[in-house]
Amino acid sequence: MRQPHHRRQVVEIADLLKKASSALFITGAGISAESGLPTYRGVGGLYDDRHTDDGIPIEVALSGQMFSDRPEVTWNHLSRLESAVREVAPNRAHRALAQLQRTLTRTLVLTQNVDGLHQAAGSRDLVEIHGNIHRLRCETCGHKDVAHDLAVFREPPACVRCGRPMRPDVVLFGESLPSAELIRLKNELSHGFDIVFIIGTSAGFPYISGPVITASRQGVPTVEINPGETEVSHFVTHRLATHAGPALDAILSAVLDPGR
Ligand code: NAD
Ligand code: ZN
């Protein structure tokens, strides 16, 4: 955090965290960018006004409709994402966030990422609202299995329990959110949080921007970490317009620093 403006904000955020007993951390693709996974939109985004290699907009290629009409198109994109994810490791932003969680009594990480990197970094209390690319799910009986390498399948593999086709356990565009995760999220939100972070997401979905806007209206401190502007930038009380790794590292150091 070289800029003095950032430094002051980091100290304020750390002081708020030291007083807090609960915190909500909302994350998106930007927190995994420093692991080498490209984001969709915003700073470093792959698909700003562009189409995928096959000329299909990403929201269409990764939609529930496309998966039922031409499953091979969706499978191809998901298997590329899955093999990219298998190559990478959590970065210092994931690790600092997991450590910050350990300083608090109650936390929730609400992530849109399907890469499993929060878990790999040791985060607890995680809601993966868009699923996890490392899992397959049977749409018929609900059986879940580990996905080792999606690219080896020419067609969706059969469920070991009922024989029906399995699919990647991720939420595609236009599909509804997993109900167990939604119930857990609503329950957690109903208790409120002392501070809310939103990190590395364009915040395009109402269930992502909503908790930040609600918290800000209730006078709860809200922190955005994102080098670009987003849907919630004007609502937050603290905005660090920088990358997630250095920002979370600086906040963690300030929280742990006994000299302050
Ligand atoms: P997004 O691509 O729409 O937005 C990414 C955001 O991260 C942008 O606002 C960008 O400015 C910011 N950013 C870029 N580099 C950053 C950094 N180093 N530190 C902090 N912020 C940074 O992604 P989204 O908001 O998560 O939502 C879109 C969808 O993309 C979701 O459905 C998600 O499931 C999916 N997705 C997931 C992954 C993953 O699992 N790693 C990767 C790409 C997309
Ligand atoms: Zn089944």
Side-chain angles (χ1 to χ4, degrees):
M1 297 295 92
R2 264 176 247 118
Q3 300 93 325
H5 171 63
H6 276 167
R7 186 66 225 157
R8 199 177 59 242
Q9 296 230 59
V10 164
V11 169
E12 277 178 29
I13 295 163
D15 285 344
L16 288 166
L17 270 171
K18 284 194 224 174
K19 279 188 251 149
S21 63
S22 62
L24 169 64
F25 299 92
I26 302 172
T27 71
I31 199 166
S32 297
E34 288 160 71
S35 291
L37 292 175
T39 62
Y40 282 172
R41 303 176 206 83
V43 173
L46 269 183
Y47 301 113
D48 281 331
D49 301 323
R50 278 194 284 146
H51 288 184
T52 57
D53 297 351
D54 40 21
I56 303 171
I58 191 70
E59 277 88 350
V60 176
L62 290 180
S63 66
Q65 189 62 50
M66 180 63 84
F67 192 51
S68 71
D69 295 347
R70 293 171 61 195
E72 70 285 357
V73 172
T74 312
W75 197 277
N76 174 36
H77 282 282
L78 288 176
S79 69
R80 279 198 291 182
L81 178 60
E82 189 256 350
S83 68
V85 163
R86 244 182 306 122
E87 302 290 309
V88 301
N91 64 58
R92 58 183 172 148
H94 297 108
R95 287 192 298 270
L97 197 162
Q99 271 186 273
L100 281 174
Q101 283 188 277
R102 286 181 211 119
T103 70
L104 292 146
T105 311
R106 187 171 72 88
T107 61
L108 185 71
V109 180
L110 165 62
T111 190
Q112 298 157 88
N113 296 346
V114 297
D115 53 32
L117 292 177
H118 281 300
Q119 215 160 14
S123 260
R124 57 182 166 90
D125 308 323
L126 189 61
V127 167
E128 293 178 314
I129 200 73
H130 291 165
N132 188 308
I133 194 91
H134 300 295
R135 278 195 313 259
L136 294 173
R137 167 169 56 90
C138 172
E139 277 193 288
T140 309
C141 77
H143 176 66
K144 295 198 178 186
D145 224 333
V146 179
H148 292 293
D149 183 357
L150 294 184
V152 302
F153 300 110
R154 293 254 166 74
E155 55 189 42
C159 172
V160 291
R161 210 191 269 168
C162 75
R164 302 287 300 151
M166 302 282 279
R167 57 165 284 175
D169 191 17
V170 296
V171 178
L172 297 169
F173 287 99
E175 291 186 325
S176 36
L177 298 173
S179 50
E181 274 73 8
L182 260 187
I183 290 167
R184 200 171 140 217
L185 174 61
K186 281 192 183 146
N187 180 41
E188 288 284 348
L189 290 174
S190 73
H191 294 102
F193 289 93
D194 296 334
I195 184 166
V196 174
F197 287 78
I198 182 151
I199 307 160
T201 170
S202 51
F205 299 114
Y207 47 90
I208 295 301
S209 55
V212 179
I213 295 168
T214 304
S216 123
R217 288 197 176 128
Q218 292 169 342
V220 171
T222 44
V223 181
E224 177 171 61
I225 303 173
N226 194 317
E229 283 225 354
T230 75
E231 305 282 332
V232 299
S233 298
H234 296 296
F235 291 94
V236 294
T237 55
H238 296 78
R239 177 164 152 70
L240 294 174
T242 185
H243 293 174
L248 285 169
D249 253 355
I251 293 168
L252 178 66
S253 303
V255 166
L256 299 180
D257 184 356
R260 285 198 47 255

